[in-house]
Amino acid sequence: MPNKAKWRDSAELLVRFGVPISLLALSLLFVSTGWLRWALVVTLPLLLIAIWDFFQRKHTLRRNYPLLARIRWIMEDLRPFARAYVVEGDLEGRPFNHDERSLVYARAKGQLDSHPFGTELDVYSEEYEWLAHSIIPNEQAPTEWRVNVGSSQCSQPYSASLLNISAMSFGSLSANAIMALNKGAAVGGFYHDTGEGGLSRYHRSHGGDLVWEIGSGYFGCRNSDGSFNPEKFAETASDPQVKMVEIKLSQGAKPGHGGVLPGPKVTREIAEARGVPIGRDVVSPAAHSTFSTPIGLLEWAVQLRQMSGGKPVGIKLCVGKPHEVFALCKAMIETGIRLDYIVVDGAEGGTGAAPVEFSNRVGMPLREGLILVRNALVGTGLKDEIKIAAAGKVHSGAGLAMNFGLGADWCNAGRAFMFALGCVQSMQCHTDRCPTGITTQDATRQRGLVVPTKAERVARFQRHTLHALREMVVAMGLDNPWQIEPCHISERQNSARSDTIDNIYGFIEDGQLVSDPESTQYARDWTAAQAHSFGETVCRQ
């Protein structure tokens, strides 16, 4: 045993210091003999790195395993690519698997998007869900649909496409990415949501329709102290390119969480778009300062609608506490004020970086959130005027169809359009080292993203995905996607049982929340909701 221990210790020392000692020996050999002196170009820098590692005090592994420990960091950098291209199966990747990414790539490039030899899904497992097709497909269905967004209180309603670009800010995305998205939106006739980072010069570059998102930082319409500036808002909102205004209450990746953009990242262009000083930290608070109650939110929405010239004003949220959604509905009933639309963001959504705890444990998934908002509006008789958009991992015609069946009037996508731009899911979005030039401000990386070429891919992906949606509608024997009902969607409970969505989730009838809330699954939340506060009026037992 002692001999084994000695051999183990010797092997350990060899592993730890064998590489730098060998480099030292080789370097001395090359210097003394003059033989292969050019090899010093390789050995000497590596030796200096090993010496630095040995004496530095920051990293234990590098101090104990000079040079060799750096392989760990190299493998960490290569890990996303090795996993995606070598290790993962077609259905294993997260957040988007290989098959999902390949579908977007194929449609963006105009390549064949069919799949041979049947589905790879286990149709007897809980991963399988399906749409009910008809024996008599409706080949006479229209080739295109649009949705009219705007309540009776809106004087400039907007005709929206059924698939649009979800909120992604300039700063989170590069200038070239923003320009490519906007040009693609202009070519394809759909809208481009600015994200909460302000309306930059790049959003205006190609004339694509814009939805201006206003977050708690009021970027692009703020005073120096971070408060809302009505005059700046009115000036930008009157731009004909701005078609709708969206109040961001929360987002899927980090609902209820503000953000900080460090000063070094606040370049001249970002400062210009956001209306903030160059080089200073920019804080996006968790909550808005313009309102604190449901009625206050509605009154501010009215002001925004008036200042924009009557354009549709809506909200975006990831659903958290159900009673807060009902409180907003009660406020609309009490005041008579109507929002024009609500964008439901699912907890599975998110194009930017977020704290892991928030990404993994905060927020309602899209399906549950969409059903709740649908039930809230239908149950209060408000759905006829207020449209619903769904955002959260939307990337296919089937995904669109299922969201329509749950209550959506149109859908927004973020990461799918990033894939259309060429994103390879390297998971480097927050490091400024995005290899495809999409989520970086590094000019040398951005140059790889050629705007005209990528804009064509963006438009092509959107067009082919809507074509896939139409094929779904045709196969189901319907006239339009709004005829898709929960009873047309089935999912498995286990290997021996499946059921339609309406038998799994509760879908309430028109006006039922007002006339008979006790008959619904929302009785406690409805009672807890109040128009004058987002707080709860009763203690939940």
Side-chain angles (χ1 to χ4, degrees):
M1 292 296 293
N3 289 334
K4 286 185 178 181
K6 287 181 180 180
W7 278 109
R8 187 170 58 248
D9 292 343
S10 300
E12 170 73 8
L13 285 173
L14 182 62
V15 169
R16 291 174 60 182
F17 302 111
V19 172
I21 291 173
S22 298
L23 288 171
L24 176 61
L26 286 172
S27 298
L28 292 174
L29 176 65
F30 296 153
V31 169
S32 61
T33 63
W35 179 66
L36 293 179
R37 190 165 293 175
W38 58 267
L40 284 172
V41 176
V42 175
T43 60
L44 191 57
L46 291 176
L47 176 61
L48 293 175
I49 292 172
I51 294 171
W52 170 258
D53 285 349
F54 183 78
F55 287 103
Q56 59 82 35
R57 296 173 176 269
K58 189 175 180 181
H59 295 285
T60 303
L61 281 178
R62 284 166 50 198
R63 191 172 172 86
N64 288 342
Y65 298 87
L67 192 64
L68 195 62
R70 290 179 177 268
I71 296 175
R72 174 180 182 271
W73 280 273
I74 294 172
M75 296 306 294
E76 284 282 347
D77 289 341
L78 294 177
R79 184 172 181 267
F81 302 100
R83 186 175 60 214
Y85 300 129
V86 179
V87 179
E88 287 176 352
D90 290 345
L91 303 175
E92 293 175 347
R94 301 278 182 95
F96 286 81
N97 64 45
H98 180 270
D99 278 3
E100 291 168 337
R101 300 195 305 270
S102 294
L103 177 64
V104 177
Y105 295 147
R107 287 180 174 165
K109 296 175 183 177
Q111 297 175 346
L112 188 66
D113 60 0
S114 351
H115 184 78
F117 229 63
T119 181
E120 295 180 54
L121 299 174
D122 179 357
V123 297
Y124 296 102
S125 74
E126 294 179 20
E127 71 180 347
Y128 190 65
E129 53 190 21
W130 66 95
L131 294 158
H133 65 282
S134 172
I135 291 176
I136 311 173
N138 180 20
E139 295 181 325
Q140 305 307 313
T143 57
E144 181 183 5
W145 302 279
R146 297 186 76 86
V147 57
N148 203 46
V149 186
S151 67
S152 58
Q153 299 171 358
C154 173
S155 59
Q156 287 195 58
Y158 174 63
S159 177
S161 174
L162 302 194
L163 177 60
N164 304 278
I165 301 170
S166 196
M168 295 182 284
S169 302
F170 169 58
S172 295
L173 299 193
S174 69
N176 282 15
I178 293 291
M179 287 191 289
L181 290 172
N182 193 257
K183 184 176 176 63
V187 170
F190 51 98
Y191 76 66
H192 177 193
D193 193 313
T194 66
E196 67 172 316
L199 202 163
S200 71
R201 66 177 75 174
Y202 303 111
H203 287 102
R204 304 175 192 262
S205 59
H206 295 285
D209 289 353
L210 294 174
V211 171
W212 185 18
E213 184 177 88
I214 309 296
S216 57
Y218 307 120
F219 299 123
C221 56
R222 60 185 264 148
N223 297 307
S224 58
D225 62 356
S227 59
F228 176 68
N229 185 306
E231 290 76 22
K232 289 182 180 178
F233 171 82
E235 180 182 355
T236 302
S238 62
D239 188 327
Q241 198 175 342
V242 175
K243 303 301 182 182
M244 299 197 295
V245 176
E246 183 175 292
I247 302 169
K248 176 197 162 186
L249 302 180
S250 58
Q251 67 185 73
K254 47 182 176 181
H257 190 281
V260 177
L261 186 64
K265 292 187 176 181
V266 184
T267 64
R268 177 179 56 81
E269 293 172 321
I270 291 175
E272 176 187 89
R274 300 195 177 205
V276 297
I278 299 172
R280 289 175 56 182
D281 290 350
V282 179
V283 178
S284 182
H288 281 262
S289 60
T290 53
F291 63 87
S292 59
T293 66
I295 290 178
L297 168 56
L298 294 179
E299 290 174 344
W300 188 48
V302 169
Q303 295 172 20
L304 297 183
R305 189 188 287 137
Q306 292 170 345
M307 288 186 288
S308 68
K311 295 175 182 178
V313 175
I315 61 172
K316 181 182 86 171
L317 81 164
C318 176
V319 178
K321 296 180 177 180
H323 82 271
E324 294 178 343
V325 176
F326 298 136
L328 196 54
C329 291
K330 284 187 174 182
M332 284 191 276
I333 293 172
E334 181 173 320
T335 63
I337 298 171
R338 300 289 183 264
L339 293 170
D340 296 301
Y341 65 95
I342 297 175
V343 178
V344 183
D345 200 7
E348 64 270 48
T351 55
V356 174
E357 294 86 350
F358 278 78
S359 293
N360 289 347
R361 290 292 181 265
V362 182
M364 192 176 290
L366 176 61
R367 174 165 293 181
E368 284 82 357
L370 182 56
I371 291 172
L372 188 142
V373 172
R374 176 265 177 205
N375 281 343
L377 295 180
V378 171
T380 52
L382 296 169
K383 181 64 183 71
D384 287 343
E385 286 207 87
I386 302 170
K387 298 297 190 296
I388 302 175
K393 218 173 177 183
V394 179
H395 74 283
S396 69
L400 290 171
M402 289 184 178
N403 286 339
F404 278 97
L406 300 177
D409 293 294
W410 82 89
C411 295
N412 293 336
R415 287 170 290 184
F417 278 105
M418 290 173 66
F419 291 138
L421 288 174
C423 170
V424 294
Q425 197 169 278
S426 65
M427 311 299 282
Q428 299 292 316
C429 306
H430 59 305
T431 66
D432 206 37
R433 297 196 302 271
C434 170
T436 58
I438 297 172
T439 61
T440 176
Q441 301 306 309
D442 183 340
T444 61
R445 295 175 185 269
Q446 285 190 49
R447 73 175 292 275
L449 198 162
V450 180
V451 172
T453 302
K454 300 303 183 184
E456 291 176 7
R457 288 176 49 138
V458 166
R460 195 181 294 119
F461 161 70
Q462 194 263 4
R463 183 173 67 252
H464 287 318
T465 303
L466 287 185
H467 175 71
L469 170 64
R470 180 184 180 272
E471 289 186 320
M472 289 283 180
V473 172
V474 168
M476 297 175 75
L478 305 175
D479 294 318
N480 61 65
W482 299 286
Q483 291 180 345
I484 302 174
E485 297 288 342
C487 62
H488 296 142
I489 307 171
S490 297
E491 69 174 35
R492 283 209 165 276
Q493 304 301 291
N494 52 54
S495 61
R497 177 175 170 76
S498 64
D499 210 338
T500 55
I501 289 291
D502 58 322
N503 286 328
I504 299 172
Y505 299 92
F507 288 81
I508 63 181
E509 300 298 324
D510 189 52
Q512 190 176 351
L513 272 175
V514 176
S515 63
D516 188 15
E518 292 300 321
S519 66
T520 74
Q521 68 269 37
Y522 305 116
R524 289 187 300 177
D525 290 304
W526 179 257
T527 302
Q530 51 183 327
H532 296 270
S533 172
F534 282 113
E536 295 173 275
T537 59
V538 295
C539 179
R540 304 280 304 273
Q541 297 298 324

